[in-house]
């Protein structure tokens, strides 16, 4: 008996060691990718800003932070990010429930519609809201209401932009939760709210935390929205970094602000990782098709109506204003102008930006899914060592570090062998994939960790290799999350602007870069072309998302 027990323990230790080695092996490619295309470029730009004439100027950090205008930027950046996150959760969580639990006509199309704002460039979002709430905008024409250059305009634009993050992330997991657990609590005497608070909410906590983190990071690093709607009165760290880099040419101040943003985001990610580890448990996941039902009762019907009104007023109205502006010239004049070369800001007709964006987005999605999938598989076990847990937090840093810094760092760092990529078309997809990888990891990881570990252990005891365990146990349960990950990566790649604007070649602009160039040029024709190109980008994204909804075999509230 003792011999048998010893043998079982020895086999268990061997399998544990193999599993640990396999996880470390999965991390090799993600670590190399982030070291070469994130850490190295960011470090290069920071070193160039703080190392002057061969000597480090660390005293510059204190000098910059002592400036009153910098402190004001730091305060506004933090305050508006917290307010935007809270407002987005408040408005979007009912939508997550409706898309997860209710079935109604047009649900797939509406799910794609609410996702369109997320993939629009921030400069387009800011311009659309300016046309809606600014001087001469729709609200000004109808009721004399103006909200431009106010905090409310910025907050509403952030909710517009991030609504889909909460609906997709929280709704995706909510769809797969077994509703019978909450029904059992109701049968035991709990009220509807008590059953939701004690059963459903703890299970949703990881997804809510992930969604809140995404929203906070996007709003903390907000650029285009604040630049257009905030005017000279409001500025975030991202806007200030851009101003110091491209207008003032003070690389030293920009480097200090980049470090401040880096430290702040790292602190937030550390707290988030700690809370997620404490809350994540094995969940009972079911087929999404069994959870959505027709609205029953007055409460569900009113909730559905409220969500539809919210989507119409918050999302459809700004998009309709965008389309209206694009049709301002008779005979689709703005659209016809996109097919002509102007010999100025564009070396090719602006319409060619559509094909460029799609090609770059496909390549970036493939890179992000491979890198993020490997990282998520390596991070699946919650009892991993500190090194693995630290890598989990580091994967999110590209969302918090200034995209302007990353793009500028690409130009400075990747200009000599063996990483001389200045003339390579891969430069743009690599920069876009950096932002897509965190979405892949954060989307797949909660579902991977929700898989009952006993299933993996049983497969291992029966002799399955780690690869076979992943293929036959994990993969069937995370197929939906894999589609979510690919959808997020594709959407982010289409709308990425901050880094791409520095590295996209003049003869191969992406859609966001083309829109920004047109918006930066005077004249009604250029503004109209920008609105037309933005409308095309919106339609391309909507069609892609609808097709993805049709191709899915499940009906979860995800990409």
């Amino acid at each position: 008996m003792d011999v048998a027990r010893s043998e079982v323990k020895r086999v268990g230790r061997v399998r544990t060691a193999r599993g640990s080695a396999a996880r470390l092996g999965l991390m090799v490619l993600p670590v190399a990718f982030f070291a070469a295309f994130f850490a190295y470029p960011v470090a290069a730009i920071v070193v160039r800003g703080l190392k002057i004439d061969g000597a480090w100027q660390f005293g510059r950090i204190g000098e910059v932070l002592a400036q009153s205008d910098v402190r004001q930027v730091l305060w506004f950046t933090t305050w508006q990010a917290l307010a935007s996150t809270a407002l987005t959760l408040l408005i979007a969580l009912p939508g997550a429930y409706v898309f997860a639990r209710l079935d109604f006509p047009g649900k797939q199309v509406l799910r794609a519609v609410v996702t369109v704002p997320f993939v629009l460039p921030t400069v387009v979002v800011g311009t659309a809201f300016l046309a809606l709430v600014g001087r001469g905008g729709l609200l000004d024409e109808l009721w004399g209401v103006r909200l431009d250059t106010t905090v409310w305009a910025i907050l509403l634009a952030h909710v517009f932009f991030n609504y889909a993050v909460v609906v997709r992330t929280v709704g995706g997991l909510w769809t797969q939760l077994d509703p019978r657990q909450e029904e059992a609590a109701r049968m035991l005497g709990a009220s509807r709210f008590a059953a939701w608070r004690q059963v459903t909410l703890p299970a949703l906590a990881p997804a809510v935390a992930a969604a809140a983190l995404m929203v906070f990071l996007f709003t903390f690093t907000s650029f285009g929205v604040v630049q257009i709607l905030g005017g000279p009165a409001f500025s975030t760290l991202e806007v200030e970094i851009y101003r110091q880099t491209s207008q003032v040419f003070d690389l030293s101040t920009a480097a200090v602000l980049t470090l401040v943003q880096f430290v702040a985001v790292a602190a937030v990610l550390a707290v988030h990782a700690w809370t997620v580890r404490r809350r994540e448990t094995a969940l009972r996941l079911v087929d999404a098709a069994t959870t959505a039902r027709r609205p029953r009762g007055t409460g569900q019907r009113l909730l559905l109506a409220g969500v539809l009104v919210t989507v119409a007023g918050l999302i459809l109205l700004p998009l309709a204003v965008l389309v209206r502006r694009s049709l301002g010239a008779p005979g689709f004049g703005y659209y016809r102008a996109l097919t002509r070369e102007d010999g100025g800001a564009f070396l090719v007709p602006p319409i060619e930006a559509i094909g460029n964006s799609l090609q770059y987005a496909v390549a970036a999605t493939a890179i992000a899914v491979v890198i993020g999938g490997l990282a998520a598989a390596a991070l699946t076990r919650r009892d991993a060592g500190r090194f693995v847990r630290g890598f989990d937090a580091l994967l999110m840093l590209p969302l918090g570090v200034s995209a302007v810094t990353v793009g500028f760092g690409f130009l400075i760092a990747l200009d000599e062998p063996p990483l001389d990529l200045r003339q390579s078309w891969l430069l743009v997809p690599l920069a876009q994939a950096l932002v897509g990888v965190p979405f892949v990891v954060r989307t797949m990881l909660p579902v991977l960790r929700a898989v009952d570990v006993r299933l993996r252990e049983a497969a291992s005891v029966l002799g399955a290799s780690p690869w076979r365990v992943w293929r036959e146990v994990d993969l069937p349960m995370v197929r939906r999350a894999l589609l979510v990950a690919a959808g997020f990566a594709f959407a982010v790649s289409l709308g990425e602007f901050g880094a791409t604007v520095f590295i996209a070649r003049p003869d191969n602009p992406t859609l966001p870069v083309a829109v920004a160039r047109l918006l930066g040029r005077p004249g009604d024709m250029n503004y109209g072309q920008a609105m037309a190109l933005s409308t095309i980008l919106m339609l391309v994204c909507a069609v892609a998302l609808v097709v993805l909804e049709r191709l899915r075999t499940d009906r979860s509230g995800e990409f």
Side-chain angles (χ1 to χ4, degrees), residues 79-148:
W79 180 88
Q80 63 84 25
L82 290 173
S84 297
T85 302
L87 189 61
T88 303
L89 290 176
L90 180 65
I91 295 177
L93 281 177
Y97 171 82
V98 166
F99 281 102
R101 292 301 196 205
L102 302 184
D103 187 21
F104 53 91
K107 179 179 177 180
Q108 295 181 30
V109 175
L110 193 62
R111 183 187 286 114
V113 168
V114 300
T115 310
V116 170
F118 178 72
V119 301
L120 290 178
T122 55
V123 291
V124 176
V125 174
T127 304
F129 266 80
L130 190 64
L132 178 64
V133 303
R135 182 185 297 274
L138 184 62
L139 297 186
D140 191 16
E141 292 178 1
L142 296 178
W143 299 295
V145 176
R146 288 184 54 200
L147 296 175
D148 59 322

Side-chain angles (χ1 to χ4, degrees), residues 81 84-85 88 158 162 165-166 210-220:
S84 297
T85 302
T88 303
H158 283 162
N162 294 292
V165 175
V166 178
L213 172 65
M214 291 180 187
V215 175
F216 181 85
L217 288 178
F218 282 133
T219 54
F220 189 83

